[in-house]
Amino acid sequence: MYDGAMAELIEQLGRLPGIGPKSAQRIAFHILDADPDDVARLVDAVREAKARITFCSVCGRATETDPCRICGDPRRDQTIICVVEESRDVIAIERTREFRGVYHVLGGAISPIDGIGPNDLRIAELMRRLADNTVGEVIIATDPNLEGEATATYLSRMLADLGVTVSRLASGLPVGGDLEFADEVTLGRAFAGRRSVT
Amino acid sequence: MYDGAMAELIEQLGRLPGIGPKSAQRIAFHILDADPDDVARLVDAVREAKARITFCSVCGRATETDPCRICGDPRRDQTIICVVEESRDVIAIERTREFRGVYHVLGGAISPIDGIGPNDLRIAELMRRLADNTVGEVIIATDPNLEGEATATYLSRMLADLGVTVSRLASGLPVGGDLEFADEVTLGRAFAGRRSVT
């Protein structure tokens, strides 16, 4: 239906995550109508990011410097490592301003359906960071879903005999939500994890 | 929160239509993880489309050739012009294989709220196409919403004294839908436009 260059653009846009054929078509027409300078900025941003962003050799997160800003920050507590699945999880936790330790990015979660096993994750790198016994606590902050739980369980077994404190982020009711709308698993977790307030 | 190149990439992606901050972040991380060849293909597709696609000097739709494939096709009936708002509407109508005439793309619809008046649309170009009296029918196929209706009304007035047949696409129940889920305006239109079947 579309001519060559347009068909190719829609095809390539449609390969991006969360972009279906309709969105790809909409974005393609937007690009055609857009100011050439704006399009050049988009193209440059993609190329620059791809060229300049690498992965931190310590924690494994996406960064422009190696080590990344967090691993290289002397004010961060290097004795507490928070283990997350993806670089974007680091950003989410940094936004809370609750955590002053450092991170370790696994690069995913154990998922037999997707063929991702422990050896596909940066677990060996985590064990190496723990080898000199300077780390006192590992906080497992994988996603609260099936894959994340499986990964947390696997990690906690791996870390059990290292003499390091291993903790897991609390599950429970999201703040600002309505109890009546909570799903039963979350509500069950909230009960199981209830804390004394007296 | 993000470093320079990543922040810039998320910013530029977030300017695309239908891409919010979360989607922009997701796509940005996808681009970081993607094969460099795939990213190069995306960048090339954007640049190629921007460089090669122009607008047909006859109908105004996005095209790589001028006149476009449809305007330049001798098998198309040049005496029937279907007026649409955008190039993408041409594609939608072509998919039906119901129409063998040619098109005229207005480049939008009359919308006082967005500051778009008749002079911002390719209406003068349409009048020029009708000047030599070779066109017998104009089908107005603007969107069935407030702006599209206003544009259709304006156009039908402009075309009233030209001795050309002016028609409007039928409004009614969408095929394959449930009557009970139709909104009242659509259902009202379906009644008003009911046809005798005996």
Side-chain angles (χ1 to χ4, degrees):
Chain A
M1 233 7 124
Y2 286 101
D3 296 335
M6 194 64 175
E8 170 72 5
L9 177 58
I10 293 173
E11 155 94 20
Q12 292 301 330
L13 290 170
R15 288 166 184 261
L16 297 173
I19 308 285
K22 292 255 175 193
S23 304
Q25 186 180 318
R26 192 165 160 220
I27 294 172
F29 276 110
H30 169 89
I31 287 174
L32 290 196
D33 291 338
D35 186 88
D37 289 348
D38 289 343
V39 176
R41 263 194 290 278
L42 171 67
V43 165
D44 288 346
V46 172
R47 287 197 309 195
E48 278 290 296
K50 195 67 185 165
R52 283 168 50 189
I53 295 174
T54 174
F55 295 95
C56 175
S57 58
V58 181
C59 72
R61 81 185 187 102
T63 172
E64 283 184 59
T65 57
D66 188 18
C68 75
R69 271 191 307 135
I70 295 172
C71 289
D73 185 345
R75 290 164 305 178
R76 305 291 297 223
D77 185 349
Q78 306 276 340
T79 69
I80 309 180
I81 294 180
C82 176
V83 179
V84 295
E85 294 181 19
E86 306 285 356
S87 293
R88 70 200 87 177
D89 301 327
V90 172
I91 304 294
I93 295 172
E94 284 294 285
R95 278 206 197 96
T96 69
R97 299 174 182 274
E98 292 281 341
F99 181 65
R100 299 304 300 162
V102 292
Y103 294 91
H104 190 84
V105 176
L106 293 173
I110 295 171
S111 172
I113 286 177
D114 299 317
I116 301 173
N119 294 336
D120 300 308
L121 305 178
R122 297 181 66 258
I123 293 175
E125 288 85 343
L126 175 63
M127 302 312 278
R128 272 201 291 280
R129 288 178 76 178
L130 301 173
D132 63 1
N133 293 318
T134 57
V135 174
E137 181 175 2
V138 173
I139 302 171
I140 303 177
T142 50
D143 287 344
N145 56 23
L146 206 66
E147 293 79 15
E149 297 288 355
T151 310
T153 304
Y154 181 89
L155 276 179
S156 52
R157 268 191 223 131
M158 293 283 287
L159 303 173
D161 302 327
L162 293 183
V164 62
T165 304
V166 179
S167 59
R168 177 100 176 88
L169 289 192
S171 275
L173 297 173
V175 176
D178 266 9
L179 192 143
E180 61 173 318
F181 297 133
D183 65 282
E184 57 262 41
V185 179
T186 299
L187 203 49
R189 287 280 176 82
F191 267 94
R194 68 189 180 279
R195 299 189 310 173
S196 168
V197 289
T198 51
Chain B
M1 228 18 121
Y2 286 101
D3 296 334
M6 193 65 174
E8 170 72 5
L9 178 58
I10 292 172
E11 155 95 19
Q12 292 301 329
L13 290 170
R15 288 165 184 263
L16 297 174
I19 308 286
K22 293 255 174 192
S23 304
Q25 186 179 317
R26 191 164 161 221
I27 294 171
F29 276 109
H30 169 88
I31 287 173
L32 290 194
D33 292 338
D35 187 89
D37 288 347
D38 288 343
V39 176
R41 262 194 290 277
L42 171 66
V43 165
D44 288 346
V46 172
R47 288 197 308 194
E48 279 291 298
K50 195 66 186 166
R52 282 170 48 192
I53 295 175
T54 176
F55 296 94
C56 175
S57 57
V58 181
C59 71
R61 79 185 190 102
T63 172
E64 284 185 59
T65 57
D66 187 17
C68 75
R69 270 192 307 134
I70 295 172
C71 288
D73 185 345
R75 291 164 303 178
R76 305 292 296 224
D77 184 349
Q78 306 276 341
T79 69
I80 309 180
I81 295 181
C82 177
V83 179
V84 296
E85 294 181 19
E86 306 284 356
S87 293
R88 69 200 86 174
D89 300 327
V90 172
I91 304 295
I93 295 171
E94 285 294 287
R95 279 206 195 95
T96 68
R97 299 173 182 274
E98 291 283 340
F99 181 65
R100 299 304 299 162
V102 292
Y103 294 91
H104 190 83
V105 176
L106 293 174
I110 295 173
S111 172
I113 286 177
D114 299 318
I116 301 173
N119 293 335
D120 301 310
L121 305 178
R122 298 181 65 260
I123 294 175
E125 287 85 342
L126 176 62
M127 301 312 280
R128 272 200 291 278
R129 289 178 75 179
L130 301 174
D132 64 359
N133 293 318
T134 58
V135 174
E137 181 176 3
V138 173
I139 302 172
I140 303 177
T142 51
D143 288 344
N145 57 23
L146 205 66
E147 292 79 16
E149 297 289 355
T151 310
T153 305
Y154 181 88
L155 278 179
S156 51
R157 268 192 223 133
M158 294 282 288
L159 303 173
D161 302 326
L162 294 183
V164 61
T165 303
V166 180
S167 60
R168 176 100 178 90
L169 290 191
S171 275
L173 296 174
V175 176
D178 268 8
L179 192 143
E180 59 173 320
F181 297 133
D183 65 282
E184 58 262 39
V185 179
T186 300
L187 203 49
R189 288 278 176 83
F191 268 93
R194 68 191 181 278
R195 299 191 310 175
S196 167
V197 289
T198 52

